[in-house]
Amino acid sequence: MAANVIVTLPNGDKKEAPKGISIAEFVKSSIGAGLAKAAVFAKLNDQVVDLSRAIDEDAALQIFTTKSPEALEVARHDAAHVVADAVQRLFPGTQVTIGPSIEEGFYYDFFRDKPFTPEELEQIENKANEIVASDAAFVRQEVSPAEALELFAGMGEKFKVEIINDIVAKGAKTLTLYRHGDWVDFCLGPHGPSTGRIGVIKILSSSGAYWRGDHRNPMLQRVYGTAFFDKKALEAWVKQREEAAKRDHRRLGKDLDLFHFHHFSPGAAFWTPRGTALYTVLSGYMRKLALDNGYVEIKTPLLFNKGLWELSGHWGKYRENMFLVEDSETKEQDYSLKPMNCPSHHLYYGFKKHSYRDLPLRFHTQDVLHRNEAAGALGGLTRVRQFAQDDAHIYCREDQIPDEVARFVKLLDKVYDAVGLKYSAKLSTRPLQRIGTDDLWDRAEAALKQALESIKLAYELKPGDGAFYGPKIDFDVSDSIGRKWQLGTIQLDYNAPERFELTYIGEDNKEHRPVVLHRAIYGSFERFIAILIEHFAGAFPAWLAPVQARVVYVADRQLDYCREVAAKLAAKGYRVELDDRGLSMQKKIAEAAVQKVPFTLVVGDREVETKAVAPRRYGGEDLKAMPLEQFEALLAKEAAWP
């Protein structure tokens, strides 16, 4: 039996170590104390494991440190355990259930007879950070189901017993426990080496939650929290969160009179005149860019028979997210509102024969779509049921893929630059649930990788995150306060042409399959507008602002001239309002600032006499009186589409 094992690191280096050495000891002795101090968990032959796990055979090893987002997710799960420990120390008799990490934090659900008060949440936070400071080791233990049941039943933890029984019923032979100090939980892991590695815990809020989400089950008390590896990162996050609350598009959408929602149509926005103006600008801007870049615009039906969705594969894999419609004759739900445009575009392509000379064909559409999102998941414009996309499908030859990806990225650069959004790219490969052969997936993934490398665009590899029909490149943007949003995408599809039997006649006069590129830059208009509202905090640049200029006056005797000013600017296509309410000029100026109008045009007797206006920028800059023609030139420059 070999006394040593060979450990392969991500950079290809191979290191020899004694068989049975723990990952933590290997890192400290073979790589360095610095990495050992920062390490949180590891991947051993692609299995996520604790640092205490032994290396018993030759293996590939990857270490995740406090600098990686994956490690922060583990630390937040560690923090959930610590918070549960703190609650049971402070409030004996409270039963524990589950405590997962979630986006930006974690929660833990408890069974007790009353909600937590704000004072109790503060006590929990203090006690949790005491446990962090104790630096208690997380210790993994494998036990039999019988041992686990005896342990938690003896502790009176009936919810843990229920979870264990469910897992045992599925055939589990061994279960894992994690202890820190005297506290123990049933958990799959992995966990960090000790509570001290967590850093700092902050409790955020609490709410009620039914056990397993079923209203027939007991009501639990859910405690939300977050954790960071150091106080500086936590403070930065808190500051960002406070700023995000000020920029919340739902509040600003109401304050700026952009959109409304009503319970009679959940998840579908009512756009006000100002909101419609913003929507229309974005729609027109994207339409012009698409048409100027070789796209043609088409429209396709809203309602389709299930035969289309069976052909596309959506009926079997996506039906729960579709709004089904009953056939008036068969009384069966054989129709659906379209949740995406792709299959209808494939039908459109197939209406006539195509030559290789026709390709690439680029179809652009902005049709309304519907997806049956869960009511509890709806939230402002970021999660809706009715929406539209700046959608396009490109039908091309395989050798045209790199050029089409490059053209798309160039267009995406122009749009994101226009609104000040920086981005990073991700290449997502085949998921577990997918259609098509491995050979098709190999070709598709290789084609996208080649396209990215040909334009020298840096990217992060995301194994398993592709669409069910093909790999994709996703673009994450960073807004003005540093938050990341997934927006643009281009997805390569070899499967749809096979399923829909799409063809073109090649130079050899034979039929060939095109490939399809699905692409969007905004994503959905609704979500993009939500992001822009928060990115600009409602203070849009003049080209995008719903109202570009508002005219106000000192006294009623200037009203006729103000009407003339507003009419002249409107006739040139600018979005102008005349505030003719019986309010003081100061109040009108203040309200224009609240509405974040880029220019407020003040008119008094002198402006009437000289045919001038006195513009003030949003933010307070007084540009002084100028001839109306001079302001028109200024507005023309700032209101021009980028």
Side-chain angles (χ1 to χ4, degrees), residues 105 131 155 185 204 220 430 436 442 512 564 571 595 607 629:
I131 298 169
M155 296 165 61
D185 200 356
L204 302 174
L220 306 176
R430 70 196 75 184
D442 289 341
H512 299 269
E564 181 184 334
Q595 290 289 315
E607 284 73 30
E629 292 75 15

Side-chain angles (χ1 to χ4, degrees), residues 62-167:
Q62 181 180 3
I63 302 298
F64 293 84
T65 72
T66 53
K67 293 183 178 180
S68 70
E70 295 91 345
L72 186 56
E73 185 177 342
V74 168
R76 286 169 173 168
H77 185 51
D78 295 349
H81 280 227
V82 168
V83 166
D85 179 12
V87 167
Q88 292 197 310
R89 292 193 197 189
L90 292 167
F91 310 106
T94 302
Q95 293 187 47
V96 292
T97 61
I98 59 170
S101 61
I102 56 176
E103 186 176 2
E104 294 200 317
F106 64 88
Y107 70 78
Y108 209 111
D109 287 345
F110 302 94
F111 180 67
R112 70 194 302 251
D113 58 2
K114 60 181 180 179
F116 291 105
T117 66
E119 294 75 19
E120 288 172 336
L121 294 178
E122 186 177 348
Q123 293 174 32
I124 293 167
E125 181 178 304
N126 292 336
K127 180 60 70 175
N129 282 304
E130 286 179 18
I131 298 169
V132 169
S134 73
D135 199 25
F138 283 104
V139 180
R140 181 178 183 272
Q141 179 185 5
E142 292 188 2
V143 297
S144 68
E147 289 173 312
L149 287 169
E150 181 181 2
L151 173 65
F152 287 103
M155 296 165 61
E157 299 285 6
K158 64 178 184 180
F159 296 94
K160 289 293 183 186
V161 169
E162 183 178 332
I163 295 171
I164 293 168
N165 279 326
D166 288 347
I167 292 174

Side-chain angles (χ1 to χ4, degrees), residues 27 32-41 51 63-68 71 193 197 229:
V27 172
L35 182 64
K37 186 176 180 180
V40 176
F41 77 106
L51 299 176
I63 302 298
F64 293 84
T65 72
T66 53
K67 293 183 178 180
S68 70
R197 196 61 55 89
F229 289 121

Side-chain angles (χ1 to χ4, degrees), residues 358-389:
D358 300 328
L359 304 184
L361 278 173
R362 307 180 186 98
F363 298 151
H364 172 68
T365 193
Q366 297 181 11
D367 287 351
V368 171
L369 303 172
H370 291 84
R371 293 183 187 174
N372 192 9
E373 301 282 0
L378 301 176
L381 295 175
T382 56
R383 199 70 176 268
V384 291
R385 288 175 170 172
Q386 177 183 296
F387 60 99
Q389 295 179 316

